[in-house]
Amino acid sequence: TVEPTKAFLPTEANAMDRGSDVLKSHLNRCDQMEVVQTRRGWCQDELGCAPRTEFNYFVGTEHVATSLEDADPCYRIFCNGIHPYRMEVKELHSGLNMITVDRPFACHAANCKCCCYQEASFTSGSDYLGRIEEQFYCCIPQFVVYDNVNRPMYKIHPPTCCSGMFVNCCAEGNPCGRGCCRQSFRIYPFSQEDTDDEAPYVGKILKKPISVLMELFTNAEIYVLDFPNDSSAAQKGTLIGSTIFLNSIFFQGEHPDGIGG
């Protein structure tokens, strides 16, 4: 994608106003969204079925949208976790487009890569919203979210400890207690230089199990997405797409190194 010259950049108001009417109607006043994956059993994975990923989307208790992965069956079976796919998030009753996620084939997210980064792009209706791309990193997986003209908006990575050297497995609570099977990615403004350890963050993507038994015997996940304050519907759309993208990298396939890179 060629970045437009400064003379052709849209105004900030136009950039923030992007997205379909359906997207704006549900997200303009939304502070949090739950993204709930449809359950699939361990036997399907053991048999190599690799069924298509399906999500339902909730604002509070209201079920607002659903999505189903569109991907080649051979890619899903033999390249699960890195396969290309397209996923369209549609309003529940009307079937109108809210967000479309396009993820190309790329190598596993991994430390010290110099190319072939994981990425995905997001559209809403006829509007291009932006994209997310893996960055070079040594220890902790790092991602940057860009807007529709390729300007960086957010940094996303797991919570860290030891000056950013390790993933903080206790960030969401004691992993042997309340924090069991809970993992998160924190969202920071791109302009914020210090994002390590207890640095302030503006949003969060929290993965939590439906129950511990469900976590053990199915691939069903719940993601609670806390949006940054004052984010536009378009920015929220890129973060919903980023949630789907991160699930496909770290929790859907067999990532060789896990969330810690």
Side-chain angles (χ1 to χ4, degrees), residues 36-41 44-45 48-55 67-77 80 83-88 90 219 247 252:
V36 182
Q37 187 175 13
T38 301
R39 299 171 186 156
R40 55 182 179 137
Q44 291 177 289
D45 289 325
C49 296
R52 292 187 293 173
T53 302
E54 183 178 6
F55 289 106
S67 66
L68 182 63
E69 177 187 37
D70 181 12
D72 183 272
C74 290
Y75 272 118
R76 290 202 310 272
I77 293 170
N80 196 18
H83 63 285
Y85 66 80
R86 179 183 176 91
M87 185 176 287
E88 186 176 1
K90 298 180 180 180
N219 279 342
N247 169 77
Q252 177 177 314

Side-chain angles (χ1 to χ4, degrees), residues 20-245:
S20 66
D21 290 339
V22 176
L23 179 77
K24 295 173 189 174
S25 68
H26 289 295
L27 297 186
N28 268 337
R29 299 181 182 276
C30 175
D31 298 319
Q32 184 183 84
M33 173 173 276
E34 282 199 358
V35 182
V36 182
Q37 187 175 13
T38 301
R39 299 171 186 156
R40 55 182 179 137
W42 62 269
C43 59
Q44 291 177 289
D45 289 325
E46 293 301 320
L47 293 172
C49 296
R52 292 187 293 173
T53 302
E54 183 178 6
F55 289 106
N56 292 288
Y57 303 80
F58 295 84
V59 176
T61 58
E62 183 185 3
H63 187 187
V64 298
T66 186
S67 66
L68 182 63
E69 177 187 37
D70 181 12
D72 183 272
C74 290
Y75 272 118
R76 290 202 310 272
I77 293 170
F78 298 109
C79 302
N80 196 18
I82 60 173
H83 63 285
Y85 66 80
R86 179 183 176 91
M87 185 176 287
E88 186 176 1
V89 181
K90 298 180 180 180
E91 189 179 39
L92 182 64
H93 298 298
S94 69
L96 295 175
N97 177 278
M98 288 179 62
I99 307 158
T100 300
V101 180
D102 283 291
R103 187 256 195 125
F105 180 88
C107 294
H108 277 291
N111 54 348
C112 299
K113 282 169 57 177
C114 62
C115 62
C116 201
Y117 293 124
Q118 286 282 339
E119 63 177 328
S121 60
F122 316 119
T123 56
S124 178
S126 59
D127 290 341
Y128 175 64
L129 300 182
R131 63 188 180 93
I132 184 172
E133 185 180 44
E134 177 191 7
Q135 306 295 296
F136 176 89
Y137 63 90
C138 294
C139 301
I140 305 299
Q142 305 279 341
F143 299 88
V144 170
V145 179
Y146 300 85
D147 69 8
N148 63 300
V149 290
N150 217 31
R151 291 176 297 196
M153 296 187 295
Y154 302 115
K155 299 174 182 177
I156 298 180
H157 63 72
T160 64
C161 60
C162 302
S163 299
M165 295 294 292
F166 303 101
V167 172
N168 185 355
C169 62
C170 297
E172 303 304 330
N174 186 340
C176 297
R178 185 182 66 85
C180 180
C181 300
R182 297 164 71 96
Q183 300 179 61
S184 65
F185 286 82
R186 290 179 176 176
I187 303 167
Y188 305 87
F190 182 79
S191 59
Q192 182 175 324
E193 292 187 7
D194 180 15
T195 62
D196 293 334
D197 298 2
E198 296 305 315
Y201 53 94
V202 296
K204 183 168 70 172
I205 301 168
L206 171 64
K207 181 189 83 75
K208 63 179 187 178
I210 295 174
S211 71
V212 175
L213 285 177
M214 285 296 179
E215 181 77 9
L216 292 174
F217 295 108
T218 77
N219 279 342
E221 315 284 8
I222 296 180
Y223 295 93
V224 181
L225 173 53
D226 291 314
F227 297 113
N229 291 335
D230 302 323
S231 54
S232 67
Q235 291 167 329
K236 292 171 184 176
T238 63
L239 293 175
I240 294 171
S242 297
T243 302
I244 296 169
F245 170 75

Side-chain angles (χ1 to χ4, degrees), residues 1-10 128 147-151:
T1 304
V2 178
E3 185 175 353
T5 60
K6 191 174 281 188
F8 291 96
L9 292 179
Y128 175 64
D147 69 8
N148 63 300
V149 290
N150 217 31
R151 291 176 297 196

